[in-house]
Amino acid sequence: MFDNAEFSYSCCPISSELVDDSPFSCRKLNKKNKNKRRFSDEQIKSLESMFESETRLEPRKKIQLASELGLQPRQVAIWFQNKRARWKSKQLERDYSILLGNYDNLASRYEALKKEKQNLVLQKLNNDMKQKSSREGTDGEKAVKYESEAKTSVSMEKSEHVLSVLSDDDSSMKAEYFAIEEEQDQLLSMNMTEPADSSPEDWGSLNSETLFNESSGEYQWWDFWS
Amino acid sequence: MFDNAEFSYSCCPISSELVDDSPFSCRKLNKKNKNKRRFSDEQIKSLESMFESETRLEPRKKIQLASELGLQPRQVAIWFQNKRARWKSKQLERDYSILLGNYDNLASRYEALKKEKQNLVLQKLNNDMKQKSSREGTDGEKAVKYESEAKTSVSMEKSEHVLSVLSDDDSSMKAEYFAIEEEQDQLLSMNMTEPADSSPEDWGSLNSETLFNESSGEYQWWDFWS
DNA sequence: TGAACTTGTGTAATTACTTAA
DNA sequence: ATTAAGTAATTACACAAGTTC
């Protein structure tokens, strides 16, 4: 397709003389001199409003709009192409910030839920202990006190921390503790909740700061965003 | 998608003679004259490798690199500017896919954790029930059986579902259930876990499909990505 | 089969604005 | 305060791949 049409620019007075392409020739004149490139505000406005109704133009409208604005159909087409590209990257930014917000939201709920679960486990331990004690007729006051402050922020690697809550000088108690059935399953599942990934810290509490530390590679592995 | 295939055409002999090609005089130079635009593969390679070591050039290196490649310093500077811009948007895509992966990961762990917690609550109910029954000397076989299948996928609006698990024709049992202390707190906190947002479904199970349904507005509210 | 056209992607260069020495 | 650097947004093209007739 010949773009023969001679670019009769309405908007860019570039006299052929002194194209001067020298990098800094353009340094002149700021606001004044409604310069060369850049469509007029009115042209932009028309294009934008058209884009809003439909992001792609049928050849019909393209030609019509072009003549209305005193532009080449080619220019209108290119403007729409570029606009679509810009819009797409804007959209990505929007989606990113939304996703980040949802992530943070979910992360805090995750933490809260984890804490609740740990309290439940402690209550259960306490309860089982009481039961066992009372069943044996010994005094049940050695049961652990939980104060709803289970220190969930520290990750427990091997259920050692859970046991440490039962800080006690009576080693026989630990032995009895392990005799209580189902308790081990519970503690196990508690650790399984953290899928043993290689992360340095608790992934659940990640924020945008620490999220992309080691992922600054050169390219990603799957081309989402087809 | 993106077969970056790198347009392998080493064209553009860019003679230092001022690259006229001023935007609008460039009318012709059609297909022929493998146009000036586009740097040679070798030039690109040098620029890329330089960019890899440092994304911005000191004036020194800029001038030196320019003369090495037969380009104007201005062209090198512009290349780096454009490169940074491109790299930034690529980076955004990478970060997005990483964040999405982390989100999905967290979401599934959240679901698993929620299920575990619900099982804990049920076990606790069961246990308390047993205790109460045995304390009263009645038979403890009415205790609810939990099978680790708490149907966590359905969201429980008002703890009604939890109670429904205790399906039982003995209404007095429910009354007694409520008498057990701390249980209500537990159920309450269970509902609090879902922050009562206006989402149509459980936010925890969101995926990329449903994530951005109502957020296709025109602009975002805070310009992250300064 | 292919000529004409379109779209997505990448690239070069320009303009206007912002910022730091 | 000026000036030179950078950034963001534009304008324009080229090519590849896909579509239509």
Side-chain angles (χ1 to χ4, degrees):
Chain A
M1 91 118 69
F2 308 165
D3 28 40
N4 33 26
E6 236 31 70
F7 279 144
S8 57
Y9 268 133
S10 53
C11 58
C12 28
I14 280 212
S15 53
S16 52
E17 53 96 14
L18 178 47
V19 171
D20 151 31
D21 112 26
S22 138
F24 302 105
S25 62
C26 61
R27 220 67 219 146
K28 49 178 136 222
L29 316 328
N30 329 346
K31 286 69 170 89
K32 270 24 193 145
N33 186 6
K34 270 321 195 168
N35 342 349
K36 5 176 120 200
R37 261 149 194 216
R38 237 76 181 184
F39 301 150
S40 70
D41 289 351
E42 196 203 347
Q43 287 171 321
I44 295 290
K45 211 156 66 166
S46 291
L47 290 167
E48 293 278 8
S49 87
M50 191 63 92
F51 183 84
E52 221 167 310
S53 69
E54 24 188 8
T55 63
R56 44 195 63 171
L57 281 184
E58 308 143 58
R60 284 292 133 55
K61 295 189 177 174
K62 177 176 72 179
I63 294 174
Q64 198 218 327
L65 185 57
S67 76
E68 282 178 12
L69 300 178
L71 296 173
Q72 299 296 127
R74 166 86 172 152
Q75 287 178 293
V76 174
I78 288 180
W79 188 91
F80 267 76
Q81 281 176 206
N82 289 324
K83 183 67 179 175
R84 280 191 296 268
R86 273 171 246 146
W87 192 84
K88 189 174 154 183
S89 66
K90 281 286 179 203
Q91 184 63 25
L92 181 58
E93 289 184 10
R94 281 188 286 269
D95 286 353
Y96 185 90
S97 79
I98 291 167
L99 179 55
L100 188 59
N102 287 336
Y103 183 91
D104 289 343
N105 178 30
L106 181 56
S108 60
R109 280 162 50 207
Y110 182 86
E111 288 303 318
L113 184 56
K114 195 164 72 172
K115 182 174 290 189
E116 290 172 20
K117 185 194 163 185
Q118 284 179 298
N119 281 340
L120 272 179
V121 170
L122 292 178
Q123 289 177 38
K124 189 157 169 25
L125 285 179
N126 190 42
N127 201 30
D128 290 344
M129 216 78 73
K130 269 199 216 146
Q131 272 188 264
K132 190 159 200 325
S133 297
S134 67
R135 212 182 308 139
E136 291 175 350
T138 67
D139 102 312
E141 294 312 312
K142 294 185 86 170
V144 184
K145 291 253 184 315
Y146 56 90
E147 290 293 340
S148 167
E149 45 79 30
K151 281 194 173 62
T152 55
S153 58
V154 301
S155 63
M156 13 198 85
E157 288 78 4
K158 283 276 171 235
S159 80
E160 288 304 320
H161 289 67
V162 172
L163 291 178
S164 74
V165 175
L166 305 168
S167 65
D168 203 313
D169 45 0
D170 186 3
S171 60
S172 66
M173 192 168 164
K174 278 186 183 177
E176 291 180 352
Y177 159 73
F178 277 116
I180 300 175
E181 56 186 347
E182 289 171 1
E183 228 59 340
Q184 268 181 306
D185 284 16
Q186 211 49 253
L187 290 166
L188 238 54
S189 70
M190 204 149 165
N191 291 317
M192 300 260 292
T193 305
E194 309 294 344
D197 51 10
S198 60
S199 68
E201 279 309 308
D202 186 350
W203 274 91
S205 62
L206 274 175
N207 57 20
S208 52
E209 299 304 317
T210 68
L211 206 45
F212 305 114
N213 279 347
E214 43 241 353
S215 56
S216 299
E218 203 50 38
Y219 39 71
Q220 68 270 37
W221 349 277
W222 70 303
D223 74 352
F224 84 111
W225 206 260
S226 65
Chain B
M1 198 59 62
F2 73 53
D3 39 332
N4 289 346
E6 257 351 285
F7 306 156
S8 65
Y9 44 80
S10 58
C11 51
C12 74
I14 282 214
S15 52
S16 53
E17 58 103 359
L18 279 311
V19 205
D20 141 1
D21 170 68
S22 86
F24 304 124
S25 64
C26 66
R27 294 311 307 113
K28 282 325 135 92
L29 54 80
N30 325 346
K31 293 43 162 107
K32 266 31 210 137
N33 183 2
K34 280 323 205 157
N35 30 322
K36 342 202 128 192
R37 285 208 150 88
R38 240 85 176 181
F39 301 150
S40 72
D41 286 354
E42 197 204 345
Q43 287 170 321
I44 294 292
K45 211 156 67 167
S46 292
L47 290 167
E48 293 278 8
S49 89
M50 191 62 93
F51 183 83
E52 223 167 309
S53 69
E54 27 189 6
T55 63
R56 44 193 52 161
L57 281 185
E58 309 143 56
R60 286 292 146 55
K61 294 188 177 175
K62 177 175 72 179
I63 293 173
Q64 197 217 327
L65 185 56
S67 77
E68 281 178 13
L69 301 179
L71 295 173
Q72 295 173 311
R74 171 70 174 164
Q75 288 179 293
V76 174
I78 289 178
W79 189 90
F80 267 76
Q81 285 172 9
N82 287 324
K83 183 67 178 175
R84 281 193 295 270
R86 276 169 242 143
W87 192 84
K88 191 172 149 183
S89 66
K90 283 286 180 203
Q91 184 63 25
L92 181 58
E93 288 186 9
R94 282 188 286 267
D95 288 352
Y96 186 88
S97 80
I98 291 167
L99 178 57
L100 188 58
N102 287 337
Y103 183 90
D104 289 343
N105 178 28
L106 181 57
S108 61
R109 279 162 49 208
Y110 181 86
E111 288 302 318
L113 184 56
K114 196 164 70 172
K115 181 174 292 189
E116 289 172 20
K117 185 194 164 185
Q118 284 179 295
N119 281 340
L120 272 178
V121 169
L122 292 178
Q123 289 177 38
K124 188 158 172 22
L125 285 179
N126 191 40
N127 203 29
D128 291 343
M129 217 78 72
K130 268 198 217 148
Q131 275 188 260
K132 191 163 200 324
S133 295
S134 68
R135 212 181 309 139
E136 292 174 350
T138 66
D139 98 313
E141 294 311 312
K142 293 184 87 170
V144 184
K145 292 254 184 313
Y146 56 90
E147 290 292 339
S148 164
E149 45 79 30
K151 281 194 173 61
T152 54
S153 57
V154 301
S155 63
M156 16 196 83
E157 287 77 4
K158 282 278 170 229
S159 81
E160 287 305 319
H161 289 67
V162 172
L163 292 178
S164 74
V165 175
L166 305 168
S167 63
D168 203 313
D169 44 0
D170 186 3
S171 61
S172 68
M173 190 168 166
K174 278 187 180 176
E176 290 181 353
Y177 158 74
F178 276 116
I180 299 174
E181 55 184 350
E182 289 172 0
E183 227 60 340
Q184 268 182 305
D185 283 15
Q186 210 50 253
L187 289 166
L188 239 53
S189 71
M190 204 149 165
N191 292 317
M192 300 260 292
T193 303
E194 309 293 344
D197 50 11
S198 59
S199 67
E201 278 308 308
D202 186 352
W203 273 91
S205 61
L206 274 177
N207 55 22
S208 53
E209 298 305 317
T210 68
L211 207 43
F212 306 115
N213 278 348
E214 41 243 354
S215 56
S216 299
E218 202 50 37
Y219 39 71
Q220 69 269 38
W221 348 279
W222 70 302
D223 73 354
F224 87 112
W225 205 262
S226 65

